[in-house]
Amino acid sequence: SGESGAGKTESTKLLLQHIMNLCKGNSQLEQRILQVNPLLEAFGNAQTVMNDNSSRFGKYIQLRFQESTVQGAKLSEYLLEKSRVVQQDTGERNFHIFYYMFAGLSSEQKELYGLLDPSLYRYISGRFGTQEVAEHWKHKYQEVCNALDMVGFQEQEQVDMQAILAGVLSLGNVTFEPEESDGFVKVSEASQGWLKAAAVSHKKYSQKPYGQLVCRAPCSPVSPSVSCCCSRCADVRDSIAKVAYGRVFGWIVCKINELLAENVDPEVELSEIGILDIFGFENFAVNRFEQLCINLANEQLQHFFNHHIFQLEQAAYKEEGLPWETITFNNNEPILNLLLAKPFGVLSILDEQSAFPQATDKTFVDKLNSIFKGSLHFQPARGRVLGFSIVHYAGKVQYDAKGFLEKNRDTLPASVRGLFISSVTPLLIPLHIHHEPRPTLARVKSGHDALLLWLDGLLIFLCPCQHSLMVLMERMYSANPHFVRCIKPNSQKEPGVLDNQVVLLQLRYNGLLETIRIRRDGFSWRPSFEEFAER
């Protein structure tokens, strides 16, 4: 654990190399396991203002052993930041793989995938980089291809995967405009080529090359404006892009697990080492729903650390009747209660508001301000800013509440299922969406034949972040943990620079000063009676 940019992912790679080396083997399985991290980094990491290679998801790697030989591995991923596919803030980039593809694909391959100049694509904000950076990305692309081959991905699977990513970029350039005669909203004439490129890349139409893009936009009954309908259609476009990317990432993880699964008799008992590498605490100039989920995960891990290092440790000393002066620590339980309590925690209120069609981000913030008035760990935003601040264990973070309800609902057009099922690309087909659309309010026409996207028959998952974190914490509490605390040396991403104040702040809020004291004064080595007697 540690702040964003503190070195968690690099430490994980070193730890994996060390464990594989201790196995004293050089089997193909061990080499495959070592290739997993660079592969996932390409698809799950991105440049942020805090870190040039920031993990935008959490991963838990389970290594399974029979005696001292590794027999298999399993990977679990948590909370991929899919919103990054369609939007990045200033100074940030999309997921690495998009840039690697532009730098590494040959002209013939780009033509095959329908890729043009990278400056044309809205989803990567037209930013590419210097020639030196492009050379680095070209090298990284080759590393990704080598890792895909090493882990065991087939050539056609790699082609399909890159075709989908190219289609996602093309889809981002599709725009909408009103149709003069009948009040419909249609795909703009200027972006018909992008729609065609996205359709071909996703192989969505096995019989007909294109489809009629029909969206229904649930415009306000009071003001059914065309701009509202265009905005809703753009939301659907972005939803499809996020689903497609999330599907590719999930498929990569599933495929890795298939290829690394242990091949031993089920009767054989295997021991296990699990390594959790999860996104670090974040505090940007603008913090959104994603940062709240990330910081909540870090709050829970800090509580888990406190529970093991301070509470269980000191309880054991008291139970043994040892002379002991209690060490106090910064307990972040009140912050977790503020976030997770039912029915009046921040996320419970967010779920409640998400269930009301008339609720808005403003009604959500108003309710928070009313319920948490006077709380030590909650502060309303000043002036007309739509947001709030939470005083986390690592410091105060101000959150911009715009989009909180929409992201928490995780809405998908209900018959996007049909869109993906009609694809002839196997990667896109297994989307388990069970929902039927209701009658149309507004439609979008593209001038081609029959592809339906419904906008107001929405599939809703309330706070996937809570469920994902709950499963993760259950795993953590059932294990025997060892903690690796990563300390960020400076905030400028500079090598060889140690900023004393930056380091001291982390030592304090992580509870490491108290940890040093409990390790110094306590009993950190616990031999069994047999070990003691033998010595």
Side-chain angles (χ1 to χ4, degrees):
S1 61
E3 276 190 18
S4 180
K8 299 177 296 299
T9 298
E10 294 304 313
S11 297
T12 299
K13 288 190 282 191
L14 290 170
L15 186 53
L16 274 173
Q17 288 172 22
H18 184 59
I19 292 171
M20 292 300 105
N21 188 55
L22 289 175
C23 293
K24 295 288 191 290
N26 193 25
S27 69
Q28 188 179 23
L29 175 61
E30 288 164 17
Q31 293 308 307
R32 283 179 168 182
I33 290 171
L34 291 176
Q35 291 298 322
V36 165
N37 263 309
L39 183 56
L40 290 176
E41 277 183 40
F43 290 87
N45 287 28
Q47 177 182 313
T48 69
V49 292
M50 294 177 75
N51 183 359
D52 290 347
N53 186 33
S54 177
S55 300
R56 309 316 299 164
F57 71 108
K59 65 175 176 288
Y60 184 56
I61 304 170
Q62 295 162 273
L63 303 172
R64 282 152 182 178
F65 298 87
Q66 184 177 5
E67 296 177 347
S68 63
T69 305
V70 65
Q71 295 290 347
K74 184 182 178 186
L75 187 72
S76 303
E77 53 98 0
Y78 301 93
L79 298 172
L80 177 70
E81 189 187 42
K82 290 181 290 188
S83 61
R84 181 167 293 271
V85 174
V86 301
Q87 180 190 9
Q88 308 96 43
D89 288 328
T90 304
E92 305 213 341
R93 294 190 188 275
N94 210 319
F95 291 104
H96 293 325
I97 189 62
F98 291 114
Y99 307 96
Y100 295 174
M101 283 174 61
F102 276 114
L105 289 170
S106 66
S107 300
E108 294 77 16
Q109 288 171 312
K110 287 177 185 173
E111 189 174 341
L112 172 68
Y113 297 130
L115 286 174
L116 305 176
D117 189 280
S119 64
L120 298 173
Y121 293 93
R122 191 176 68 86
Y123 281 168
I124 54 174
S125 307
R127 296 190 295 267
F128 196 63
T130 63
Q131 186 61 37
E132 185 182 350
V133 170
E135 280 299 316
H136 172 68
W137 286 340
K138 185 176 181 179
H139 174 70
K140 297 297 282 188
Y141 178 76
Q142 196 54 54
E143 280 185 9
V144 171
C145 293
N146 293 341
L148 287 166
D149 291 337
M150 171 71 78
V151 175
F153 287 80
Q154 301 299 313
E155 184 179 350
Q156 188 57 49
E157 291 172 332
Q158 297 182 38
V159 169
D160 285 348
M161 187 165 59
Q162 294 185 85
I164 293 168
L165 298 181
V168 164
L169 290 177
S170 296
L171 186 64
N173 285 8
V174 173
T175 56
F176 303 91
E177 63 187 14
E179 196 170 55
E180 295 174 7
S181 57
D182 52 11
F184 290 129
V185 177
K186 66 177 183 178
V187 173
S188 67
E189 290 300 322
S191 62
Q192 290 286 344
W194 293 113
L195 179 64
K196 173 182 174 181
V200 171
S201 293
H202 285 180
K203 300 181 186 176
K204 284 193 169 48
Y205 319 108
S206 50
Q207 301 300 322
K208 302 174 183 178
Y210 316 115
Q212 180 183 11
L213 184 60
V214 182
C215 297
R216 55 190 236 172
C219 304
S220 162
V222 180
S223 176
S225 68
V226 171
S227 63
C228 168
C229 296
C230 285
S231 173
R232 290 287 183 178
C233 294
D235 287 344
V236 166
R237 173 202 64 206
D238 289 347
S239 291
I240 295 169
K242 289 187 285 188
V243 167
Y245 193 85
R247 177 70 200 127
V248 168
F249 190 78
W251 174 80
I252 289 171
V253 171
C254 289
K255 187 75 179 172
I256 286 171
N257 285 337
E258 283 177 26
L259 295 166
L260 300 186
E262 59 270 14
N263 185 23
V264 295
D265 189 324
E267 301 294 315
V268 175
E269 189 174 338
L270 299 177
S271 49
E272 184 177 293
I273 295 175
I275 304 170
L276 176 68
D277 170 22
I278 203 161
F279 23 56
F281 186 85
E282 292 183 345
N283 188 0
F284 296 140
V286 180
N287 299 288
R288 299 189 172 90
F289 178 73
E290 292 80 10
Q291 275 67 52
L292 181 65
C293 292
I294 285 169
N295 292 342
L296 168 61
N298 279 273
E299 286 284 359
Q300 290 189 295
L301 288 174
Q302 180 66 18
H303 185 265
F304 178 65
F305 175 81
N306 288 341
H307 176 72
H308 274 274
I309 297 299
F310 297 114
Q311 291 171 314
L312 293 184
E313 185 89 356
Q314 298 190 89
Y317 295 169
K318 287 176 183 174
E319 190 179 330
E320 293 278 348
L322 300 172
W324 182 255
E325 184 181 331
T326 300
I327 292 175
T328 57
F329 59 95
N330 187 15
N331 191 348
N332 67 333
E333 205 162 307
I335 305 168
L336 283 176
N337 288 337
L338 175 95
L339 292 167
L340 297 173
K342 295 181 179 181
F344 295 122
V346 170
L347 292 184
S348 294
I349 295 166
L350 182 59
D351 282 351
E352 174 199 87
Q353 291 286 298
S354 299
F356 292 131
Q358 292 80 18
T360 64
D361 295 322
K362 186 177 185 307
T363 63
F364 165 61
V365 171
D366 288 345
K367 187 151 189 180
L368 292 183
N369 291 341
S370 169
I371 288 175
F372 298 119
K373 187 177 181 181
S375 168
L376 293 174
H377 300 286
F378 179 90
Q379 296 177 8
R382 293 179 179 177
R384 296 186 176 181
V385 176
L386 185 63
F388 56 92
S389 295
I390 291 177
V391 183
H392 288 282
Y393 79 99
K396 186 171 87 169
V397 178
Q398 182 169 333
Y399 294 100
D400 180 347
K402 185 180 178 183
F404 259 57
L405 263 64
E406 195 63 34
K407 288 174 180 176
N408 186 58
R409 287 173 180 144
D410 203 10
T411 53
L412 282 178
S415 62
V416 165
R417 170 189 56 174
L419 171 103
F420 284 98
I421 289 174
S422 69
S423 169
V424 294
T425 304
L427 270 182
L428 290 175
I429 294 172
L431 283 169
H432 306 294
I433 299 174
H434 305 289
H435 193 76
E436 293 302 320
R438 298 191 296 273
T440 304
L441 292 179
R443 290 189 295 168
V444 179
K445 300 192 294 187
S446 76
H448 302 301
D449 303 306
L451 162 63
L452 300 179
L453 302 178
W454 302 103
L455 256 174
D456 69 339
L458 292 172
L459 186 68
I460 296 180
F461 306 97
L462 287 180
C463 206
C465 116
Q466 290 185 60
H467 175 70
S468 190
L469 289 176
M470 186 175 70
V471 172
L472 174 61
M473 295 317 297
E474 281 176 4
R475 276 192 172 151
M476 295 294 97
Y477 276 96
S478 66
N480 177 27
H482 298 261
F483 299 95
V484 179
R485 308 293 272 185
C486 298
I487 303 296
K488 190 173 182 174
N490 64 75
S491 301
Q492 288 72 47
K493 301 191 273 193
E494 291 291 333
V497 177
L498 192 76
D499 185 323
N500 287 340
Q501 289 307 309
V502 169
V503 170
L504 185 59
L505 179 65
Q506 292 169 83
L507 294 177
R508 282 181 175 148
Y509 76 62
N510 278 320
L512 290 183
L513 301 180
E514 292 84 358
T515 305
I516 290 165
R517 188 178 156 204
I518 203 168
R519 286 289 182 247
R520 183 192 64 195
D521 297 349
F523 301 85
S524 55
W525 184 55
R526 314 277 173 77
S528 66
F529 181 78
E530 288 77 15
E531 287 176 285
F532 168 72
E534 189 178 333
R535 290 197 62 165

